Amino acid sequence: MTTFDDREHAFEAKFAHDAEMQFKAEARRNRLLGLWAAGLMGRTGAEAEAYAREVITSDFQEAGEEDVFRKLRADLIGKADDADIRAQMRTLMAQAKSQIMEEVGNS
């Protein structure tokens, strides 16, 4: 292999790794969002976990996070406004990334 081929493969591997990490972070964030929203709706235990799974699967409707936002907005009427939901999405994305980086560092 030439140096160019080596660099190309390295870039492809990094791209794939970064995409996988982003997917994991988004799924983790969505789970955390689901648990947060479930708490606002008074759901606990298995019911909260089931709702968190609903939030995770809602992210597969379209690219981006707007599908998750719309689900939460519809489910949290009167319990959280748009600004609260968006702020929680940002906060929990940072938390999810931090958790994943910690797990990667410990393995």
Side-chain angles (χ1 to χ4, degrees):
M1 273 193 173
T2 66
T3 302
F4 181 77
D5 289 335
D6 291 341
R7 291 182 71 195
E8 182 179 15
H9 289 294
F11 283 127
E12 289 172 356
K14 182 180 181 336
F15 179 82
H17 178 264
D18 290 350
E20 178 184 1
M21 297 308 279
Q22 183 67 25
F23 176 80
K24 287 180 179 182
E26 288 172 1
R28 171 97 38 118
R29 184 229 23 220
N30 292 342
R31 180 179 179 279
L32 294 170
L33 275 169
L35 293 174
W36 168 75
L40 293 178
M41 293 184 286
R43 299 178 184 184
T44 60
E47 203 175 298
E49 288 293 335
Y51 182 76
R53 284 190 296 278
E54 284 180 35
V55 173
I56 292 168
T57 58
S58 74
D59 195 22
F60 299 123
Q61 293 176 5
E62 64 186 44
E65 61 186 25
E66 288 304 305
D67 42 4
V68 172
F69 174 76
R70 282 192 305 272
K71 173 167 184 45
L72 292 171
R73 174 198 259 174
D75 293 347
L76 294 176
I77 293 174
K79 294 176 177 39
D81 63 21
D82 290 1
D84 293 333
I85 295 168
R86 294 232 186 252
Q88 198 67 13
M89 289 176 84
R90 285 188 302 275
T91 298
L92 293 178
M93 179 55 105
Q95 183 179 335
K97 286 181 177 180
S98 176
Q99 288 176 358
I100 290 172
M101 293 307 293
E102 190 175 301
E103 290 170 7
V104 169
N106 289 333
S107 55

